[in-house]
Amino acid sequence: MADSSRAAPGGARTAGPRRATKAPRTKPAEVRRAELMAAAERLFLSQGVEATTVAQITRAAGVAKGSFYLQFTTRDELLSALRRRFLDDYLEELDAVVGEVPEDHHAARLAVWTAVTLSVFLDGAAQRGLLFAAPGDYAAPTPASPGGGNGAVERLTALLEAGARAGTWRLPAARATAVFLFHGLLGLLDDRAGVDREALEEAAMALVERLVLASD
Amino acid sequence: MADSSRAAPGGARTAGPRRATKAPRTKPAEVRRAELMAAAERLFLSQGVEATTVAQITRAAGVAKGSFYLQFTTRDELLSALRRRFLDDYLEELDAVVGEVPEDHHAARLAVWTAVTLSVFLDGAAQRGLLFAAPGDYAAPTPASPGGGNGAVERLTALLEAGARAGTWRLPAARATAVFLFHGLLGLLDDRAGVDREALEEAAMALVERLVLASD
Amino acid sequence: MADSSRAAPGGARTAGPRRATKAPRTKPAEVRRAELMAAAERLFLSQGVEATTVAQITRAAGVAKGSFYLQFTTRDELLSALRRRFLDDYLEELDAVVGEVPEDHHAARLAVWTAVTLSVFLDGAAQRGLLFAAPGDYAAPTPASPGGGNGAVERLTALLEAGARAGTWRLPAARATAVFLFHGLLGLLDDRAGVDREALEEAAMALVERLVLASD
Amino acid sequence: MADSSRAAPGGARTAGPRRATKAPRTKPAEVRRAELMAAAERLFLSQGVEATTVAQITRAAGVAKGSFYLQFTTRDELLSALRRRFLDDYLEELDAVVGEVPEDHHAARLAVWTAVTLSVFLDGAAQRGLLFAAPGDYAAPTPASPGGGNGAVERLTALLEAGARAGTWRLPAARATAVFLFHGLLGLLDDRAGVDREALEEAAMALVERLVLASD
DNA sequence: TATGAATGAGTTTTCATTCAT
DNA sequence: AATGAATGAAAACTCATTCAT
């Protein structure tokens, strides 16, 4: 602030005792960014998003506070980046795996959609709560916010409609079913107290089948 | 902090000449507490929990900042109180309304459970996101956090099990079904973009029936 | 920031060993404000405006940092307040003292204007540089910023015009003369190296007379 | 840091095949310094000194941040350099132009001094406020700060004294008059609201004459 | 010489909580 | 019980300066 009373910063290493090999202090932006995101993810998980400060993140990442702002303009931007990355990965996997199933195997596609969703949110369980805390975060893109929605429900809706058209199942409201199904699944994940993965997957699959394939 | 039904302290009223008409500055703790909670609820709804300060709450409630701490030891305590109250009201209504249906009318009980849940969360839609933001907030009481759980899933589980025992429906995993159903329902609420209440209730009911009454 | 990880502040006195008499920790806003302004003025004087931090000001005023923001919404607001107060005082004195001289004693009015200006800026010498650092701070109110100007030049211009109309002096451009005179005076103040007050006033007066009463 | 006229280092140019056309990355220190100063001047003008960061300056100059510190040890040093350069140019022109007037034409010398000062500060108007913001920046070198002073007042003082000795005018206090005159002039520049250059110069000249040549 | 990633002290501002009246 | 001035511990973000490459 002052013209002439600015402190003279100093070097100061982070830690590391020797640096025998290389360990360049200066890393590619990509790497730094990834390290910060990883550190943040860990902290968000253990303390919650709100309780985590930029200082903690940089400390955990082993960089100075200022370095954070070399990668993100804002604490919030990090959050968005985390969200986006998680979603992108999820949707990418969804598309890849579902894409391998022949288009007219609707039931199989549904099973695969469910399995992938379950597995992604199981592994990234934490992200789920961390990144989609606000109600509406899973919501469909509305005219008001066309960027909304997360893609998963949209894909599922399309899948359900295709199956309905083909007569694989009968569904009065594909979109509502998709939403119900998606959230039901996530709820299951939230709730899994002492339930092992196997059992969880089995139960989930059964419920999905009941819901979609119900003869009624 | 005190009980609840305490007469408005007006010792000086009978004798003292001034302040004949004005409302008593000293209100029963219960009333103050309720006023603060109401103010907080309003603010949380319009601005979000994080963005609402104690100062704003007391201003809105028309009391001094210090008075807040006469009713709540902490800002967080207010949040808990709000949560607890919402849940208690919900569960109370659930018990009351479901209780009116004969014990052996399982399908009717399920329908009523659904209708009440839907209606409560529709009206208190906002609270939902405000008060149950963290993952696990709906979860069952675990050994780790025995205070967890919200009772709704537990009641639904019991209801589903009773119906299964009676043969009204067949369910391999009552608890999982209850969880799935509950979250699916909430998801539907989150997602309702331009859907009117009627349609929402109808769709929800249909889905619940499909899930539970599925012939399989 | 976090919902539940806020630090619990503590009391902590400022200093004062005993507090035998009264010294209420809680002072009227007016007083606190004045104390902060006084402290700021002192610091601005010795270190410059830019180099002075809010922390320094509150420390000097013997209050906690937060107390600053009870009186000023912003560091800049303090600056404005300081400016405004200085100007108001100056103009008030100008009006009061000049007002005592009969309206048609133009030369006397000019002398009084000069004396007051000199004395005010001598005593508040520092403010001058502190508060009117930006070029244009003394400027006339323009159509663009009608609030601009400091009033002193305007008053002087009117005074000079009156004298010209009365034939006390002849002036081709009253406004320009006023501006020139005002800044010349301030320059003198800036420059006074080892010159005592008496001498300064005498020299200033002589110059003003030369400039305005020049027979030419 | 080096001299100034150094051939563009192009040792590799004759042999190496690449970079045949592009400008040399390595420029003489003088040039770099000048480019940085130019960029800084531009930014200071448009945003203010305080608001301009080293990063902005280097970006505008098309060099890396680190290169700044190859030319200036400090941000403040750049400011000094800018100040010094402006003053040097001004004084140089003053000496050159005034020097062309015969030594005994005191009135003419004064007129020329005024014209040059006016013109320099009119063109470099902005620098004025940017570089001489602090009070005392125009002041005479004092025993306390012997580096102070800007030379202009000193030259004017000498000029006025010479004229007084020659009887061209009578001045009780040459130094005070010089200071008054100099600041009066600058004030005029500051104040010029909608006044064109011509009119400004005319008014200034008239005031200077009144002040110095006053019959009194 | 040139680079720009990295540093970290320092700044303003916010706000839960306390406590003297 | 009620008040609201006072507190001070953070938090987010900036930026002059350094230094390994």
Side-chain angles (χ1 to χ4, degrees):
Chain A
M1 113 166 286
D3 220 4
S4 26
S5 67
R6 269 150 166 159
R13 280 303 144 55
T14 307
R18 241 152 307 172
R19 190 138 69 85
T21 33
K22 277 286 182 56
R25 250 78 198 97
T26 215
K27 295 185 187 174
E30 289 274 294
V31 177
R32 265 288 129 81
R33 207 180 154 89
E35 287 175 352
L36 284 164
M37 286 174 80
E41 204 167 32
R42 244 172 294 134
L43 286 163
F44 286 169
L45 243 68
S46 61
Q47 320 180 335
V49 174
E50 286 305 323
T52 301
T53 72
V54 172
Q56 290 175 331
I57 296 171
T58 52
R59 204 178 311 135
V63 295
K65 203 160 3 150
S67 298
F68 179 91
Y69 293 93
L70 250 29
Q71 305 301 333
F72 306 96
T73 57
T74 273
R75 185 179 169 283
D76 273 0
E77 203 198 279
L78 164 64
L79 224 60
S80 306
L82 237 25
R83 259 202 263 274
R84 205 167 21 250
R85 190 182 67 176
F86 179 65
L87 255 190
D88 285 351
D89 289 355
Y90 167 44
L91 294 181
E92 201 178 319
E93 186 166 357
L94 215 46
D95 290 338
V97 178
V98 173
E100 282 180 5
V101 181
E103 284 211 15
D104 53 340
H105 285 42
H106 302 290
R109 290 200 144 208
L110 176 61
V112 164
W113 183 98
T114 304
V116 167
T117 296
L118 222 42
S119 122
V120 165
F121 280 92
L122 253 177
D123 294 333
Q127 278 90 331
R128 189 258 155 132
L130 296 174
L131 305 177
F132 302 92
D137 275 338
Y138 299 108
T142 60
S145 73
N150 65 16
V153 168
E154 282 67 40
R155 280 161 173 77
L156 179 55
T157 303
L159 204 161
L160 292 179
E161 281 169 344
R165 271 197 305 275
T168 309
W169 45 66
R170 238 175 315 145
L171 287 172
R175 163 99 203 161
T177 307
V179 168
F180 188 91
L181 200 163
F182 183 65
H183 285 88
L185 230 44
L186 294 187
L188 239 31
L189 290 169
D190 249 18
D191 190 66
R192 71 182 198 295
V195 178
D196 65 288
R197 197 174 177 130
E198 290 277 295
L200 184 67
E201 285 185 349
E202 203 171 322
M205 220 48 120
L207 285 162
V208 168
E209 273 172 28
R210 283 178 75 93
L211 185 67
V212 178
L213 298 171
S215 67
D216 180 11
Chain B
M1 216 145 234
D3 207 358
S4 68
S5 48
R6 205 198 283 167
R13 259 250 232 65
T14 28
R18 47 239 155 94
R19 192 138 67 79
T21 32
K22 293 286 174 154
R25 262 84 194 99
T26 286
K27 294 186 185 175
E30 275 295 284
V31 176
R32 270 284 133 85
R33 206 179 154 89
E35 286 175 352
L36 284 166
M37 286 175 78
E41 202 167 32
R42 246 174 292 135
L43 287 164
F44 286 167
L45 245 64
S46 61
Q47 320 181 336
V49 173
E50 283 306 318
T52 300
T53 69
V54 171
Q56 289 175 328
I57 295 170
T58 52
R59 203 178 313 135
V63 295
K65 203 151 28 146
S67 298
F68 180 91
Y69 293 90
L70 256 24
Q71 305 302 332
F72 305 96
T73 58
T74 272
R75 184 178 172 278
D76 274 3
E77 201 199 282
L78 164 65
L79 224 60
S80 307
L82 236 26
R83 261 201 261 274
R84 202 165 27 248
R85 190 182 68 175
F86 179 67
L87 257 190
D88 285 352
D89 289 354
Y90 165 46
L91 294 182
E92 202 178 318
E93 186 167 357
L94 215 46
D95 289 341
V97 179
V98 173
E100 282 180 3
V101 181
E103 284 210 16
D104 55 339
H105 284 42
H106 302 291
R109 291 200 143 206
L110 175 61
V112 164
W113 183 98
T114 304
V116 168
T117 296
L118 221 42
S119 125
V120 165
F121 281 92
L122 254 176
D123 295 333
Q127 277 92 331
R128 190 252 157 135
L130 294 174
L131 306 177
F132 303 92
D137 276 338
Y138 300 108
T142 61
S145 72
N150 64 16
V153 168
E154 283 66 41
R155 280 161 174 76
L156 179 55
T157 304
L159 204 162
L160 291 180
E161 280 169 343
R165 270 195 307 276
T168 309
W169 46 65
R170 240 173 314 144
L171 286 171
R175 164 98 203 162
T177 307
V179 169
F180 188 90
L181 201 162
F182 183 66
H183 285 88
L185 231 44
L186 295 187
L188 238 31
L189 289 169
D190 250 17
D191 190 64
R192 67 181 200 295
V195 179
D196 66 287
R197 198 175 176 126
E198 290 276 296
L200 184 67
E201 285 184 348
E202 203 172 321
M205 222 46 122
L207 285 162
V208 169
E209 272 172 28
R210 282 178 77 92
L211 186 67
V212 178
L213 299 170
S215 68
D216 179 12
Chain C
M1 113 165 288
D3 220 5
S4 25
S5 66
R6 268 149 168 159
R13 278 304 143 54
T14 306
R18 241 154 306 173
R19 187 139 71 84
T21 34
K22 277 287 182 57
R25 251 76 200 98
T26 216
K27 294 185 188 175
E30 290 274 296
V31 176
R32 265 287 130 80
R33 208 180 153 88
E35 287 175 353
L36 284 166
M37 286 175 79
E41 205 166 32
R42 243 172 294 136
L43 286 164
F44 286 169
L45 243 67
S46 60
Q47 321 180 335
V49 174
E50 287 304 323
T52 301
T53 72
V54 172
Q56 289 174 332
I57 295 171
T58 52
R59 203 178 314 134
V63 295
K65 203 153 11 144
S67 298
F68 179 92
Y69 292 92
L70 250 29
Q71 304 301 333
F72 306 96
T73 57
T74 274
R75 186 179 169 281
D76 274 359
E77 203 197 279
L78 164 64
L79 225 60
S80 307
L82 236 26
R83 261 202 260 274
R84 203 167 25 249
R85 190 184 65 178
F86 179 66
L87 256 190
D88 286 351
D89 289 355
Y90 167 44
L91 294 181
E92 201 179 319
E93 186 167 357
L94 216 45
D95 290 339
V97 178
V98 173
E100 282 180 4
V101 180
E103 284 211 15
D104 54 340
H105 286 40
H106 301 291
R109 289 201 147 207
L110 176 62
V112 164
W113 183 98
T114 305
V116 168
T117 298
L118 221 43
S119 122
V120 165
F121 280 93
L122 254 175
D123 294 333
Q127 279 90 330
R128 188 259 156 130
L130 295 174
L131 306 177
F132 302 93
D137 275 339
Y138 298 108
T142 61
S145 73
N150 65 17
V153 168
E154 282 67 41
R155 280 162 174 75
L156 179 55
T157 303
L159 205 161
L160 292 180
E161 282 170 344
R165 270 196 305 274
T168 308
W169 47 64
R170 238 173 317 142
L171 286 173
R175 164 100 203 160
T177 306
V179 169
F180 188 89
L181 201 163
F182 183 65
H183 285 86
L185 231 45
L186 295 187
L188 239 31
L189 290 168
D190 249 18
D191 190 64
R192 69 179 199 297
V195 179
D196 65 287
R197 198 174 177 129
E198 290 276 297
L200 184 68
E201 284 185 350
E202 203 172 320
M205 222 46 121
L207 284 162
V208 168
E209 272 171 29
R210 284 178 74 92
L211 185 68
V212 178
L213 298 170
S215 67
D216 182 10
Chain D
M1 219 143 231
D3 207 0
S4 68
S5 50
R6 205 199 285 165
R13 260 250 229 66
T14 29
R18 47 245 157 85
R19 191 138 66 78
T21 33
K22 292 288 174 152
R25 262 87 195 96
T26 286
K27 293 187 186 175
E30 275 295 286
V31 175
R32 269 286 134 84
R33 208 179 152 89
E35 286 174 354
L36 284 165
M37 287 174 77
E41 203 167 31
R42 244 174 293 135
L43 287 164
F44 285 168
L45 245 65
S46 62
Q47 319 180 336
V49 174
E50 283 306 319
T52 301
T53 70
V54 171
Q56 290 176 328
I57 295 170
T58 52
R59 204 179 311 135
V63 295
K65 201 146 35 139
S67 298
F68 179 92
Y69 292 90
L70 256 24
Q71 306 301 332
F72 305 96
T73 58
T74 272
R75 184 179 173 280
D76 274 2
E77 203 200 281
L78 164 65
L79 225 59
S80 308
L82 236 25
R83 262 201 262 272
R84 203 165 26 246
R85 190 183 68 176
F86 179 66
L87 257 190
D88 285 351
D89 288 354
Y90 166 45
L91 293 181
E92 201 178 319
E93 186 167 355
L94 215 45
D95 290 340
V97 179
V98 173
E100 283 180 5
V101 181
E103 284 211 15
D104 54 340
H105 285 41
H106 301 291
R109 289 200 146 207
L110 177 61
V112 164
W113 183 97
T114 305
V116 168
T117 297
L118 219 42
S119 125
V120 165
F121 280 93
L122 253 176
D123 295 333
Q127 279 91 330
R128 191 250 154 141
L130 294 174
L131 305 177
F132 302 93
D137 276 338
Y138 299 108
T142 60
S145 74
N150 65 16
V153 169
E154 282 67 41
R155 281 160 173 77
L156 180 56
T157 303
L159 204 162
L160 292 179
E161 280 170 343
R165 270 196 306 274
T168 309
W169 46 64
R170 236 175 317 144
L171 287 171
R175 164 98 202 159
T177 307
V179 168
F180 187 90
L181 201 162
F182 183 66
H183 284 88
L185 230 44
L186 294 187
L188 238 31
L189 290 168
D190 250 17
D191 190 65
R192 68 182 201 295
V195 179
D196 64 288
R197 197 174 177 127
E198 290 276 296
L200 184 67
E201 284 183 350
E202 204 172 319
M205 222 45 120
L207 284 162
V208 168
E209 273 170 28
R210 283 178 75 92
L211 185 67
V212 178
L213 298 171
S215 67
D216 180 13

